Amino acid sequence: EGGIASFVEYLNAKKNPLFKEVIQFSKDDGIYILSCAMQYNDGYADQTLSFVNNIRTIDGGTHEIGFKSALTKICNRFAQKYNMLKDEAFSSDDTREGLVCVISINVPEPQFEGQTKGRLGNSEVKGIVDSWVYAFLDSYFEENPTLAKKILQKALVAQQARTAAKRARELTRRKSELESSVLPGKLADCSEEDP
């Protein structure tokens, strides 16, 4: 009851949602039927459950790729609009931090990869999901700027954490390289320690 929106609420029940409402939409063009529901929480993990013709696609597939790409593009566009981006754009992981999402699509002739049917392989589905989700989120963010800013703020924090971790990794690597290498004669380490 309540469809995938209730499912998202159920998945988010033990977490702290960033906003009360579940963002949801459906689209049917006579061939493909797409339903999507999503909500962010203050956690760090992302949980995306995808279904094709009510079969759970554990390894995702083209429909999930299309959704992720649309979400990343729209977040980057609105972040630029609100002057939130300093230099580099959000990565897909940044925009999905704390996301709980259910994607369900009906495909007339699904082609699954692998024996377990864990991954959808229809290439046209990626473009369809991408354009539909992008168009929906575009108008949704336009109509709900405060909610959009909450999502973008979350992505911004994720991006800052990612760049800080990257810098720390590089610093550690550089430090260990310098310590292990023997310096050439003219750059010898100081022999006198007493200032």
Side-chain angles (χ1 to χ4, degrees), residues 69-99:
S69 121
L71 181 67
T72 308
K73 281 190 292 194
I74 203 75
C75 284
N76 278 318
R77 213 194 92 203
F78 274 86
Q80 280 174 331
K81 183 181 169 182
Y82 297 136
N83 293 324
M84 293 173 93
L85 288 179
K86 300 280 182 289
D87 39 23
E88 71 172 304
F90 292 138
S91 74
S92 181
D93 291 337
D94 297 336
T95 58
R96 291 194 334 266
E97 189 172 285
L99 173 70

Side-chain angles (χ1 to χ4, degrees), residues 21 82 139-149:
E21 62 196 275
Y82 297 136
S139 57
Y140 191 87
F141 278 15
E142 205 66 68
E143 290 159 18
N144 304 284
T146 50
L147 197 133
K149 281 177 184 163

Side-chain angles (χ1 to χ4, degrees), residues 9 26 41 74 76 88 97 111 113 132 137 141 164 171 177 183 188:
E9 281 175 352
S26 297
N41 59 55
I74 203 75
N76 278 318
E88 71 172 304
E97 189 172 285
Q111 295 156 353
E113 293 170 14
W132 286 359
L137 286 176
F141 278 15
L171 195 69
E177 279 171 17
L183 293 167

Side-chain angles (χ1 to χ4, degrees), residues 38-58:
M38 56 192 261
Q39 189 180 37
Y40 281 84
N41 59 55
D42 60 4
Y44 304 111
D46 96 275
Q47 190 176 13
T48 305
L49 305 179
S50 56
F51 298 86
V52 174
N53 301 354
N54 296 333
I55 299 168
R56 169 97 163 93
T57 44
I58 294 165

